[in-house]
Amino acid sequence: MAEVSAKRRRSEGQAPDSAVVLYSYWRSSCSWRVRIALAIKEIPFEYRAVHLLKDGGQQLKEEYANVNPMKSVPSIIVDGHTLTESMAIMEYLEETRPANPILPKDPFLRAKARQLAEIINADIQPIANLRVLKKIDADYQADKVAWSQHFIHAGFAAFSKVLEETAGRYCVGDEVTIADICLVPQVYNAKRNNIDLSAYPIIARIDAALNELPAFKAAHPSVQPDAE
């Protein structure tokens, strides 16, 4: 399948994927998003694990900081370029490898898919990521789980409201988009923080459907080379 996809991309004048390298941590939500996008688009890649906890955090080492000055994952090397930040990476993959799209063709629906993705990307995940949780624990001795739950609940309430307008089988109609790609890792994180999804039935239904898809199974943390 990957070989067929590579031949098709060459015939369409697109860059080959032989040099794609993904720096990832198995349970990183943002890395997970990119793995899903790569799987959907059938792009083969080399997996380079960056352990966020081992050795004081491998992402903080000088060697990796030269790849990603923000010292976070994911980072990707593609077409001879290094890119960071999951949304930028997925947009680049969509623009350079349009087969198996992750954005709708309709401009309004594209905007809605991005809107939903950004509720997670901007308003939920970064407020409760590892770097923030370490800071509030060290400096303020705050309850990390309660902190995460607060922002997940607020974000999921907003996300669910938008889904009432846009949802079909998935977040925006019946095709997988970047909204779905962002949703599944965030639901996983919500479950780790003991969030009761019964309050968000549309989210729970869509998450269950997405997790049955081959690309989402292939990108799941439990099957990554560095899974623990």
Side-chain angles (χ1 to χ4, degrees), residues 16-63:
D17 299 311
S18 58
V20 177
V21 176
L22 177 67
Y23 294 85
S24 174
Y25 178 61
W26 67 290
R27 209 161 57 186
S28 156
S29 296
C30 297
S31 299
W32 190 348
R33 297 171 193 167
V34 175
R35 295 196 304 262
I36 296 169
L38 289 167
I40 289 172
K41 290 183 170 293
E42 301 175 359
I43 301 171
F45 63 94
E46 176 189 340
Y47 190 107
R48 293 187 186 174
V50 180
H51 202 294
L52 302 187
L53 301 174
K54 192 176 295 182
D55 305 323
Q58 293 175 350
Q59 76 279 16
L60 304 177
K61 306 300 182 184
E62 182 178 357
E63 180 182 1

Side-chain angles (χ1 to χ4, degrees), residues 8-225:
R8 183 175 63 217
R9 280 189 287 273
R10 286 194 294 270
S11 70
E12 293 172 353
Q14 298 178 34
D17 299 311
S18 58
V20 177
V21 176
L22 177 67
Y23 294 85
S24 174
Y25 178 61
W26 67 290
R27 209 161 57 186
S28 156
S29 296
C30 297
S31 299
W32 190 348
R33 297 171 193 167
V34 175
R35 295 196 304 262
I36 296 169
L38 289 167
I40 289 172
K41 290 183 170 293
E42 301 175 359
I43 301 171
F45 63 94
E46 176 189 340
Y47 190 107
R48 293 187 186 174
V50 180
H51 202 294
L52 302 187
L53 301 174
K54 192 176 295 182
D55 305 323
Q58 293 175 350
Q59 76 279 16
L60 304 177
K61 306 300 182 184
E62 182 178 357
E63 180 182 1
Y64 183 69
N66 291 330
V67 176
N68 185 336
M70 196 62 204
K71 303 176 183 178
S72 62
V73 289
S75 302
I76 197 169
I77 299 172
V78 57
D79 301 336
H81 308 297
T82 300
L83 290 171
T84 67
E85 303 298 335
S86 62
M87 298 301 290
I89 292 169
M90 291 192 291
E91 291 275 0
Y92 180 83
L93 295 176
E94 179 74 349
E95 291 178 10
T96 59
R97 293 153 174 82
N100 304 329
I102 56 175
L103 283 168
K105 291 183 179 180
D106 179 83
F108 177 71
L109 295 180
R110 288 170 76 91
K112 296 304 287 187
R114 289 183 171 116
Q115 176 186 342
L116 285 164
E118 287 296 348
I119 289 175
I120 292 171
N121 183 62
D123 295 326
I124 305 178
Q125 188 274 333
I127 304 171
N129 71 10
L130 179 62
R131 181 168 49 221
V132 172
L133 294 179
K134 282 186 172 181
K135 183 69 173 176
I136 65 169
D137 181 46
D139 291 4
Y140 306 105
Q141 293 74 55
D143 184 332
K144 295 185 290 185
V145 173
W147 172 278
S148 297
Q149 288 177 339
H150 172 80
F151 291 106
I152 293 170
H153 277 302
F156 274 9
F159 200 95
S160 295
K161 189 66 176 177
V162 180
L163 288 180
E164 292 175 7
E165 172 192 350
T166 63
R169 179 167 176 78
Y170 306 121
C171 286
V172 182
D174 296 328
E175 301 297 329
V176 173
T177 70
I178 56 172
D180 303 291
I181 291 173
C182 289
L183 179 63
V184 167
Q186 189 58 60
V187 170
Y188 177 92
N189 184 261
K191 291 176 179 177
R192 290 183 66 215
N193 283 280
N194 302 314
I195 296 290
D196 181 2
L197 291 178
S198 64
Y200 312 106
I202 306 177
I203 286 177
R205 173 182 63 77
I206 292 172
D207 177 69
L210 290 167
N211 276 296
E212 293 300 314
L213 300 178
F216 285 78
K217 290 181 178 180
H220 195 275
S222 64
V223 298
Q224 302 314 305

